[in-house]
Structure formats: C-alpha cells, structure tokens
Amino acid sequence: MNNPPSTPQPTSNKSGILAPVFFPATGIIGLMVILTLLAGDAATEMFAQAQAWVTHGFGWVYMLAVSGFLLFCLFLAFSRHGEIRLGPNHSKPDYSFMSWFAMLFSAGIGIGLLFFGVAEPLTHYLAPPDADPRTIEAAREAMQITFFHWGINAWAIYAVVGLSLAYFSFRHGLPLTIRSALYPLIGERIHGPLGHFVDVLAVIGTLFGVATSLGFGVAQVNAGLNHLFDVPVSTPVQVGLIAIITTFATISVVSGLDAGIKRLSEINMALAILLLVFVIVLGPTILFFNSFVQNLGLYAETLVTRSFRLDAYSGDQSWLASWTLFYWGWWISWSPFVGIFIARISRGRTVREFILGVLLVPTAFTFIWMTAFGNGALSFEMAGAVPSIADAVKDNLPLGLFSFLEHLPMANIVSFMAIILIITFFVTSSDSGSLVIDTITSGGHLHPPVWQRIFWAVTEGLVAAVLMVGGGLGALQTATIITALPFTFVIIFACIGLMRGLKMEAAKLRGAAVTPDVHITGQGAGWKQRLGVLLSHPAENDVVSYIKETVCPALVKVAAEIQNTDCKAKVQLIKGRAEIRILHDGEMDFRYAVLPRGLYRPDFAYLSTDIEEQAEDKRFFRAEVHLLEGSQHYDVFGYSEDQLIHDVLNQYDKHMHFLNLVR
C-alpha cells in the first residue's frame, strides 16, 4: 500500500506555473468559449441537448454519489477517526470560529441564497412536481424541496473534498491540490500525467461553477437596478456589470486571503445577518418560527426519499434535470473551489470538528434564511398581496428578492442594501475562486504569483460574460452539469484514498498502543535525575545548546548504525531543531525530531518576591519530541545520549510495528 511522503514534492517552476495543468486547462476553457461564440444562436439548442444527454444517461450517478458522500461524512464524524487533527497533533486552528464560518459562508453559498431564497420556493409553488399549483400543499412541497436542495447533501460534497485535501496536505505535507487525495491509490504517479489530468478537471469544473454563480449574481444585480433605477435588463448591461465587478474582485484577490477575502467575508456575513433579522422582525415573525419547525420536520421526513428520486417510472426527468440534478452538478463543480478554500482555512481542526462544522452550521443558517425569505414570500402571495411576487418571479426569476422586499418597510433602502450585498458576494466568490484555481495551477503553492491571480479573476469574468451572451443562465447551468460529471468520479476515488489514509493512521496508533514501552536506562538514569528534570525550567539558550551538544550527536550515532544495515538515514540540525529521518523506500518514513518549545511556568514555580524578576523569568523552554504526525507532548531535556538513543529506538520500534500492520 502507498503511503504519503513526509515532505511535499516539487511541482512547479520558478514562475509559479505548473505547465501541465495551467496550459491544458487554459486551452480547453478557451476552446469552449470560442465554440460558444461561433455557435451563435445555435448555442442555446446545443446546450439544451447536452444537458438532456447528461441528465438522462448519468442522473443516477449524481444521486448515488451525493447520498454516498453524506453517509461517508457521517461515518467519519462519529468514528474513531474523528479525533485526528488536520495538521500536526499540536496544531491549533488558524482562524476563530466566526471568521472560519464567515469565509465558509461567503465562498460557498452567498450569491445562491440571495438569488434563490425567494425565487425557488415561489417557482415550486407555481409548478410543484407532486401537488396542484398555488395550493397549501404546493407551498408545503415548495419549502420541502428547497430545504432538500440546500441541505446537508450539498455540504457533504464540500466536506469530503475539503477534508481529503486538508488531511493529506496538513497532516502529510502533500500539495494542497485535488491530486493529493489520490496518493494512497496511485502513489507517486500523482506527480505525473494522471495527477495533472485530475487537476485540469478541477480547474475547469471550478471555473464554470464560479462563472455560473457570477451569472446568477449579475442577473440579480441587473434586476435590482432595473427595479430601483429603471436600468434596462439586457445582456450588454449584464456584461458591463460583470466587467465592473470583476475589477473589484481582481483588486480583492491581489490583496490576499487575510487582507482582502477575510475582511470582505466578514462584511458579507454582517450585512447578510442584518438583512435576515430585518426580514424576520418586520415580516411575518410568528409564521417564521412556526414554519421553520415544520420545515425541519418535513425535511427529515423526506430526506431519504428525495435523495434517491429519479422519476424512473414516469420517464419524465425534465423537472429533475432543471432542479435537483442541476444543483448536484453545481455543488460538485464548486467542490474543488470550496473544498480547497475551506481546507486552507481549516488547518488545526479535528476531523469531527471539520465535518460537523461544515455540515451543520452553514445548513442551519441556510434553513433559517430560506424560511425567512421563502415562507415570507409565500405568505404574502397566499394572502393575495399586490403586486404579486409569484408573477414577478414567473416573468423574471432574479426579480423575486426585490419584489418580496417591496412588501416590507423601507423597501427601496433595503433593496439597495441587498444589491450591495449581492455585489460583495459576487466579489468574494470571484476572488476566492481565483485564489483556488491559482493554487491548483501553481502545483499547490499557498502564495502563487499575483499576476496569475489577476489572470484567473479576469478569465472567470470573461467566461461568465461569454456564456451569458451565448445562451444566458441556461448555458451556465448546462456547462456546470457537464463539467461536474467526470469530477464526480474523482471525488469518489478521493473518498477511497482518504479512507485508506485514515486506516493507516489508525494502524499506527494501534501499533503504538500494542508495542511495550522501552524503559529508559543508562548512566545517570536515577529517579533523582528524572525528578530534577521535571522540576527544572530551563531558558531557551540552555535547551538550544542541549539539542546541539547532546541530542544531535545521539541522533548521528543512530543514523550511522542504521547506515551499516543498508538502510538510509539522515540527520539535520536547523534553527535549533535536531531531526533524524530513517527512509523506507515505498513506505512511510520515520521521523524523530527534538524542538525547543516555549511555555509559561506554573504558578508554584514563582518563588521570587521581585515582581520585575517574575515578569522576566516566567517563560521556560522544553526539548519536545516530534514525530511525523506532530508533537508527542513530552520533554527530553536532561536525558543523556544513551537515554535519548533508547527513546529513539522506542519510537522506531512502534513505527516498525505500524508498518507490519499495514503491509
């Protein structure tokens, strides 16, 4: 069985471009854009036929895959693998929970909620698949379907991709690209043509998925400007809006993750919550709470049935293709983008934290949003409010949000705020997508060149504009479904690879538990020496000197003996850290490192009455042992060479036992 290497492999040249991914992806995207322009009026019919072919022949693949991803996530979250940390054992989350959720929300669902929050329930109310239109049953079914399309099935797709990437990148040092999830299956071939092919698929799927969202966003901005300022609804206006907003997205992506995307995401989140609270408080408040509870019950009741529904007996899959299969294709095409993005911001979280956070928190917020806007619009419509929100949605889908806000106080002000919110979501979707595509096409580098980010931000806007000209939102939907099909199989193989990686880690833990500890013996190993070490609080210089003068020579002796047995071993002393690596060709290497780590002294150690002396002397350092999976949380400062060698052999014995378990 293949095992992840201990260090990342070189994947790109000095310019930051991984040529076997960048140029094929750019060429295929360019070819699709040119063909759309050349097809002219025939493009709409061409896209319709392609969508019918995919949904009729492969709809069952989407339905089974998405349901399988959800079951896989739930299994991992509640299994023994849930305690594994996405990074070394000692790592902590890079972002606070609120910042993490804000970026997750903005990248994954922002534009979609604003576009479909009113439009989807009203559309199903007018044309429900299993009820009479404009009835109470139709309203109930409309919310049931909306919850299903925006529920945990969608976030399970993001979760499996993001979890695979975060695990192999932060836990095993592989590049943060889709190919890394396949390492347990194909080994070093992820750095060859097969890995390049997988990343090309990820780039194409991500770009068309983001372009679809940009198309929805710009159509709704155009509808809002028409509603407020009589700006005409037309393709030229929408192309102009794409150009303007893409410019802002380019500026944001140049600013980077922390300066641009994080701040915009937090602004998005604040504005979205403000708009949501406004609708709940000044809309039908009691109805909101009652319908939210009932919607949850309907969702739980029909989740399994709808997860496997394909209308096989009726033979008419037109509704399914336009809604459920489109959504699944949209989520899958977005999964490289959202997966890499949430992996990048999730370093340090446990597998259980990651899965439950990604599945439940955004889903809960989405359900609250859909209830507030969807049930609110349905209540106005069923009460006979004038002008009719349903008629507005029927004539112009993007107008649904603004038609609904007309029935609330301060309609014009709130509608203008909604336009600003759509634009900021537009910008964060575009710049996040650009950053992710840039990461893939540079071989997993977390800080690729600025010019490359600009190139992909502009390309996303260009593709969205061309598809809008060539076939409108229908063309964007079709492109999404088609590009998602091959990537579905990539995600399935990624799940298999992740499961193998987690099983290997479990085997390693079993090996550590089964192998008896080797008692540390040797000269000066008395209990008084051990107690003295436990109660000591050495300074940084003392620990660094100890690592250089005692730890490093001990590791050199072990390496020399290893070399005599025809195995490969190397010792490094870098920035106060001593490390030995024993190399196992084709299997997981062994790493034993000792690092200085600063801590605050416990209260009982402050014996001095001099306050200034206490302040200067309250930190001490440990010589902490690290293995491949991170810190082992014990200190070896004060060990003799002989004791250190025994400790290295103790850990190596456990490593060899682990290798025997997985062979």
Side-chain angles (χ1 to χ4, degrees):
M1 185 181 346
N2 294 310
N3 297 279
S6 55
T7 56
Q9 302 298 315
T11 53
S12 62
N13 60 27
K14 294 181 180 179
S15 69
I17 291 177
L18 180 58
V21 175
F22 182 90
F23 291 111
T26 304
I28 293 171
I29 291 166
L31 181 62
M32 295 178 72
V33 168
I34 292 170
L35 290 176
T36 300
L37 289 174
L38 292 177
D41 294 337
T44 303
E45 179 62 25
M46 180 179 68
F47 283 125
Q49 291 178 357
Q51 180 172 339
W53 176 75
V54 171
T55 55
H56 179 72
F58 299 96
W60 62 273
V61 174
Y62 286 127
M63 300 300 279
L64 274 181
V66 172
S67 300
F69 298 151
L70 176 58
L71 293 175
F72 182 68
C73 284
L74 295 175
F75 165 74
L76 290 183
F78 296 104
S79 71
R80 65 180 184 276
H81 306 302
E83 297 298 326
I84 294 174
R85 198 164 288 280
L86 302 177
N89 289 338
H90 59 280
S91 59
K92 301 295 182 184
D94 291 341
Y95 297 97
S96 68
F97 181 79
M98 287 307 299
S99 293
W100 182 55
F101 174 52
M103 288 190 280
L104 192 71
F105 176 81
S106 296
I109 55 175
I111 288 179
L113 288 186
L114 286 162
F115 189 93
F116 288 103
V118 172
E120 182 171 352
L122 265 294
T123 303
H124 297 322
Y125 175 70
L126 294 174
D130 300 314
D132 294 328
R134 296 179 182 266
T135 61
I136 294 176
E137 290 75 16
R140 185 184 298 116
E141 186 176 52
M143 293 309 302
Q144 180 190 109
I145 294 169
T146 302
F147 267 44
F148 174 65
H149 287 159
W150 293 85
I152 58 175
N153 294 63
W155 285 95
I157 302 169
Y158 295 160
V160 293
V161 175
L163 180 62
S164 299
L165 299 177
Y167 175 77
F168 286 111
S169 179
F170 300 139
R171 190 81 175 169
H172 294 289
L174 288 167
L176 189 62
T177 59
I178 302 299
R179 67 176 74 198
S180 297
L182 305 182
Y183 193 93
L185 302 180
I186 62 176
E188 293 298 322
R189 283 180 292 171
I190 67 166
H191 303 295
L194 190 55
H196 300 328
F197 173 73
V198 168
D199 279 351
V200 168
L201 287 180
V203 169
I204 295 171
T206 298
L207 191 133
F208 281 102
V210 173
T212 300
S213 292
L214 301 189
F216 285 132
V218 79
Q220 195 168 31
V221 170
N222 193 181
L225 293 175
N226 173 262
H227 183 71
L228 292 178
F229 308 112
D230 292 325
V231 175
V233 176
S234 66
T235 300
V237 171
Q238 292 173 3
V239 171
L241 287 171
I242 288 175
I244 294 170
I245 301 175
T246 298
T247 302
F248 288 110
T250 304
I251 294 171
S252 175
V253 80
V254 168
S255 302
L257 182 61
D258 290 330
I261 298 172
K262 178 185 173 184
R263 290 176 185 172
L264 268 179
S265 297
E266 290 171 347
I267 292 171
N268 285 347
M269 195 67 201
L271 288 175
I273 292 175
L274 186 62
L275 180 60
L276 177 63
V277 171
F278 173 84
V279 170
I280 293 174
V281 172
L282 298 181
T285 307
I286 300 301
L287 173 68
F288 164 78
F289 290 105
N290 289 335
S291 56
F292 178 72
V293 173
Q294 186 164 345
N295 290 342
L296 284 178
L298 290 171
Y299 173 69
E301 179 185 340
T302 59
L303 178 61
V304 175
T305 303
R306 291 202 173 275
S307 294
F308 297 94
R309 176 173 176 166
L310 277 166
D311 292 332
Y313 293 100
S314 68
D316 182 8
Q317 293 184 318
S318 57
W319 182 91
L320 200 69
S322 298
W323 288 101
T324 303
L325 294 181
F326 159 66
Y327 271 123
W328 287 180
W330 192 14
W331 304 143
I332 290 170
S333 68
W334 263 57
S335 63
F337 157 38
V338 181
I340 289 178
F341 188 77
I342 63 177
R344 185 169 177 180
I345 63 176
S346 301
R347 178 186 173 91
R349 300 196 178 275
T350 65
V351 169
R352 183 171 295 116
E353 274 181 342
F354 181 92
I355 291 176
L356 295 181
V358 172
L359 284 186
L360 300 182
V361 178
T363 298
F365 186 90
T366 301
F367 285 175
I368 294 171
W369 183 282
M370 289 299 187
T371 301
F373 286 81
N375 279 105
L378 285 170
S379 69
F380 289 144
E381 185 63 28
M382 296 173 73
V386 178
S388 169
I389 305 173
D391 289 344
V393 168
K394 186 177 180 181
D395 295 334
N396 185 4
L397 198 67
L399 191 59
L401 173 64
F402 304 103
S403 180
F404 166 65
L405 294 176
E406 275 294 307
H407 297 278
L408 296 174
M410 300 181 291
N412 288 341
I413 296 174
V414 178
S415 293
F416 183 75
M417 190 184 84
I419 293 175
I420 299 300
L421 182 56
I422 295 165
I423 292 173
T424 57
F425 273 131
F426 191 142
V427 172
T428 50
S429 294
S430 180
D431 59 15
S432 301
S434 303
L435 195 64
V436 165
I437 294 175
D438 200 13
T439 300
I440 299 173
T441 55
S442 63
H445 287 283
L446 297 183
H447 303 286
V450 172
W451 73 264
Q452 203 169 321
R453 300 183 211 169
I454 297 172
F455 171 82
W456 288 114
V458 173
T459 301
E460 286 165 4
L462 180 63
V463 169
V466 169
L467 290 179
M468 288 291 288
V469 172
L473 291 177
L476 291 166
Q477 291 185 14
T478 302
T480 297
I481 292 176
I482 293 173
T483 55
L485 180 60
F487 198 75
T488 302
F489 295 98
V490 174
I491 301 177
I492 293 171
F493 286 120
C495 290
I496 298 171
L498 176 61
M499 198 65 244
R500 286 194 179 183
L502 292 172
K503 283 184 175 179
M504 285 191 297
E505 184 133 357
K508 188 169 187 178
L509 291 174
R510 288 201 307 273
V514 171
T515 307
D517 285 337
V518 178
H519 294 293
I520 299 172
T521 59
Q523 186 177 1
W527 67 270
K528 291 184 179 180
Q529 180 221 8
R530 293 188 62 189
L531 181 61
V533 169
L534 289 173
L535 296 178
S536 67
H537 299 93
E540 182 177 12
N541 290 338
D542 296 332
V543 174
V544 171
S545 297
Y546 170 75
I547 291 174
K548 181 179 179 180
E549 296 168 7
T550 304
V551 177
C552 196
L555 299 184
V556 169
K557 289 182 180 180
V558 174
E561 190 63 29
I562 291 289
Q563 299 280 18
N564 291 335
T565 63
D566 294 329
C567 288
K568 297 178 182 178
K570 59 181 181 180
V571 175
Q572 290 181 306
L573 180 63
I574 305 174
K575 295 181 179 179
R577 178 189 71 192
E579 175 183 300
I580 183 173
R581 285 182 182 266
I582 303 175
L583 310 179
H584 294 266
D585 294 335
E587 294 184 304
M588 189 179 290
D589 297 338
F590 171 74
R591 174 193 184 233
Y592 181 100
V594 180
L595 285 68
R597 182 190 175 198
L599 296 171
Y600 285 102
R601 294 171 61 183
D603 290 339
F604 68 80
Y606 296 122
L607 302 178
S608 172
T609 57
D610 190 327
I611 297 177
E612 291 185 3
E613 182 182 342
Q614 288 184 29
E616 293 175 359
D617 209 29
K618 64 181 180 180
R619 282 178 64 84
F620 75 101
F621 282 77
R622 288 157 47 103
E624 203 163 89
V625 174
H626 286 235
L627 304 180
L628 273 176
E629 59 270 24
S631 173
Q632 300 305 292
H633 305 291
Y634 69 91
D635 182 17
V636 293
F637 181 78
Y639 282 25
S640 67
E641 270 193 16
D642 194 40
Q643 293 168 1
L644 280 167
I645 290 172
H646 276 287
D647 192 53
V648 174
L649 296 181
N650 181 23
Q651 297 292 356
Y652 188 53
D653 186 19
K654 296 176 181 180
H655 183 78
M656 292 301 295
H657 185 71
F658 153 69
L659 292 182
N660 290 330
L661 288 175
V662 298
R663 280 172 181 154

